[in-house]
Amino acid sequence: MTDRAASSAFDRNDRPGNAGLVLTLAVAVVAVLGVFFLAPAAMAPRFIMLALALFGVAGVFFLFAYAVGLIQFSSRAPRNDITKLIADSTTEGLLVTKGDMQIAYANDAYMELCGARDVSGLQVVERLFSGPPEVSEAIYRLAQAARAGTVHVEDLRLSPPLTGAGAVGWYRIKVRPLPHAGPRASLWRVADVTGERQRQEGVFQELQHAIDFLDHAPAGFFSADPDGSVSYMNKTLAGWLGYDLTQVGSGGATLASIVANNGAALLAAVSGSPGEVRTEQIDLDLRCRNGRSLPVRLLHQVAFGQDGASGASRTLVLNRAAGEKPGEDLRAAEVRFARFFNSTPMAIATLDAEGRLRDSNAAFAKLLPKAFKAGHSKEDWSLLAGLSERDAEALRKAIQDAVEGKSDVKPVNVSFEEGAGPRSARFFVSPAEDSGQKGATIYALDTSEQRKLQEEFAQSQKMNAVGQLAGGIAHDFNNMLTAIIGYSDLLLSSHRPTDPAFRDIRQIKETANRAAGLTRQLLAFSRRQTLRPQVLQLGDALSELQILLRRVVGEKNELDLRHGRDLWYVKADITQFEQVIINLVVNARDAMPDSGGRVQIRTKNVTRDECASFGLIHLVAADYVLVEVEDNGSGIPAEVIEKIFEPFFTTKEVGKGTGLGLSTVYGIVKQSGGFIFASSDVGQGTVFRIFLPRYIPDAKETPQKETEAPKAAADYTGQGVILLVEDEDAVRSIGARSLKSRGFTVLEATTGLEALEVVEEVGGKIDLIVSDVVMPEMDGPAMFAELRKRGVKAKVIFVSGYAEEAFAKNLPEGDFGFLPKPFSIKQLIETVKSHMGAEG
């Protein structure tokens, strides 16, 4: 109680009794006495009884309140308040304000900061701290926070300090709102942190000295993170390499950028056991900013965590450039050899008699990093790590021959999995001897790109050869199918539906039409089919197709269409594009589990700059519209996915697939100028990506939805002279009979030369020429050009099993029609009628 009484803290809540209340009570007593003396004598007893009753009730209430503690007698002694005692005696200045300027409480420490002995000397924080603009700005921010009822902290530097001791004082001021029923209240806390700041400045100064010593050391030093980024480089090394220190540590330097000739792979090859710290001495070249090389010796230290993962490295760099550290000739020769050994692009390694790696250069570490990860020390490094059993055995035999001193050891070609995919290399092994111990030197050439190019070229040649074969077969087959379909039409026209033979003839025609579908797939794969490209908006095309696609995927599977915004236009054959999507969805459905799956079809625009992000080396950079068909089915194994676009290749059971579905898709996409790629994870699903080139339509080319108007009954009769040129007798015969039966006059020729003779005989009086494209002696295009030279203006319809585009570029300018094989009699008559005009 003695300490508490000696406290000089100011608390506006510790006040004496209220004099106004005492005066009011006195006035009330006098008023009661005045009423007693002035009142009539008859009312005096009653008034006395009433007054006594009121005072009695008040006294009873007072005694009861005092008993329960509601009323206490005030004294001048300080209250026994532990919380207030703590606040009064704390070394941190505390100030409570109400409103902006009214002080409600200040403890001893704050009064000492103010230099105040009583309440008259107290000042609010805004008046206590004044000085340079930075101090005024900080106080203003604190005051604004107090008015806004938020928490804020500021550190101030005041010169001279409030106490006057020393030249500079540091103060940490905090303000926060206090819950209060009355006006806004804030708690201010002011702490003198001058000592803490001085200690921090001392530590910082020592750190600056240490960094200065390291920066100006006669050796270079750098630290690199496990991902290869250089987090620190001293000034000496930065000066050697020509780097700006402000750029180091912010992505401006990496091991790959400062170490020349794949030396970063050699540093990354350092491995160790959990908790170990390994230091390796490595001679190599660093790369300067100006492109020059700097020969150095590295003392490279790496610490490994308890999980075996490598941490940040610490590397000392010794300059071995000429004139920097002149040494003995032997040392200079050692440095030159180390530079040559680690800078050569050929992978080189030395082996002991048991085939273990003794040393290697940077190129070898980059080619076969698994050889160094096989163990934590050089004794555990294994050249055979990661190789197949057959390749490992062949290489082991070559190494053994070299160790035994045999000459002319045959090179060994090996394949291995490394990084993003399969790699291959050719190893040359030769005998070597070191300090009397036999061993071998191995040289390796990375042949991955060469083998990949060879495989791609062979695949391209094979696909082209198969395509030519498929196209030739389809062309000849189409001639036979044209005759079969044509004669079937003639037989059907001469038989009634009730005739027993009618159904058999119709079955023949339907079978021929299915065969025609196979030939169309062959032509699609060989890119020789006829396309009718038009300007398309793929989002609209897929939306119209989704009803059919939902039937294709089945009830157990889910179909999800997601269209990109503002899709660009493409130019493609809508029918063939729909066939592409249907084929891919059918394959996705077949790959689904029995319990059901999900097929997603997504579209979006892909700009030229975004093409590289897909990592597809064959994708030419351009603007595309991308269509993705993804399923979550069983996936495609790696050994199968390379063959999926080959014709007649299928993994389905016999009778459940022809092997032409994906080859047809491939041909249609390529003939449309696009690209198709497949990626798959076994057990996860497959994604097909179709890139169709963006097409910018002219003002006249506006994509319109086709609306089929009701057609009137077609008139297949006509008149006029038609020259039919066809080397296949069956096709020419069925064509001639069909046209003659409709009223046309038909002249026949088997070759282009014979057709020219027929034209001469009739004096050019021919209304229409229907000609095959491929014929002996003179083909259709050559005949067309000769007729135009002779002034024959008759319209020409070309008939072919190949695509129109396959020969159209060889034709002179002129108007001609096209009818693909196989065709029915109805299609032939309709085409002839459309080119003959409205005659007949």
Side-chain angles (χ1 to χ4, degrees), residues 764-830:
K765 295 180 180 180
I766 297 176
D767 299 307
L768 181 67
I769 301 174
V770 180
S771 173
D772 193 11
V773 174
V774 180
M775 295 182 294
E777 297 181 358
M778 178 182 284
D779 59 14
M783 179 198 70
F784 179 80
E786 186 62 29
L787 288 174
R788 290 295 183 258
K789 290 179 182 179
R790 297 184 182 187
V792 178
K793 303 298 183 181
K795 294 182 179 180
V796 176
I797 298 175
F798 285 111
V799 180
S800 177
Y802 289 131
E804 177 182 347
E805 292 80 2
F807 62 86
K809 58 184 177 181
N810 299 324
L811 292 175
E813 294 185 3
D815 185 20
F816 64 90
F818 182 75
L819 179 63
K821 293 181 181 178
F823 54 82
S824 63
I825 291 177
K826 178 181 178 182
Q827 292 171 330
L828 173 62
I829 300 301
E830 287 178 345

Side-chain angles (χ1 to χ4, degrees), residues 32 44 111 131 138 190 226 236 246 359 432 455 568 578 603 659 714 731 787:
V32 170
M111 295 189 71
V190 183
T236 302
T246 59
D359 201 0
E455 292 176 352
W568 294 324
E578 290 176 349
T603 60
V731 177
L787 288 174

